[in-house]
Amino acid sequence: MMSNIVELSFAETIAADIQQSYHAIDLEKIARTTLTVMTDKLPNVNFRYFAKLDSYWYKPKLLDIYIVDTNEGRRLNLQSRHKDYATNVLSYPSDLPADVLPLLDEMHLGELVLCHEVVCQEAISQHKQFDHHLTHLVVHGILHLLGFDHEISEQDADEMEQFEIEILAKLGINNPYLAQD
């Protein structure tokens, strides 16, 4: 079992009770399950952002998760994707050179930025439990940090969706792409 560290931080505008709701979710378990499933797929899948995996893949992983409000989510989405709205999750891969990764004690995956209000609104509109929707977005974000991208092609989108469904099933969450009653 891989050892992973999830560092959770919050924008100053995120209230203490909301912060507690994130601390109550086992983010390390979500990361561990995602990375275990994806490790089992090696060498048959390509982690686009990580070359020469053999020399560092089995090190502990570090994932930063930052929870923001709508204003900061919108600003970050505009800055990094040139889209003027707050989105549910933004992924910022570590971008460390492959020759540096073997020298580190931990493998830095990167950072996920989650917009709390958007996550809540989507969970409500999609008739999903908040923690299930958040789990899906964290899995989705980790896959982005590994180099998977559903915006490249329909085949890439299908592959990423199948990984998400498999990982979420291991976490006891039903396929999020099926219509909810």
Side-chain angles (χ1 to χ4, degrees), residues 36-49:
T36 298
V37 168
M38 297 313 293
T39 298
D40 291 345
K41 299 190 177 310
L42 291 172
N44 300 320
V45 295
N46 176 28
F47 297 164
R48 205 172 274 130
Y49 298 143

Side-chain angles (χ1 to χ4, degrees), residues 1-4 28-29 32-33 35-36 58-61:
M1 185 179 300
M2 284 185 246
S3 172
N4 301 298
E28 289 185 10
K29 178 180 179 184
R32 181 178 58 249
T33 302
L35 294 167
T36 298
Y58 294 95
K59 291 183 177 193
K61 311 294 185 292

Side-chain angles (χ1 to χ4, degrees), residues 18 30 40 45 55 89 103 135-136 168 173-175:
I18 294 171
I30 297 166
D40 291 345
V45 295
S55 59
V89 62
L103 306 173
T135 298
H136 179 204
L168 291 169
I173 298 174
N174 293 331
N175 180 343

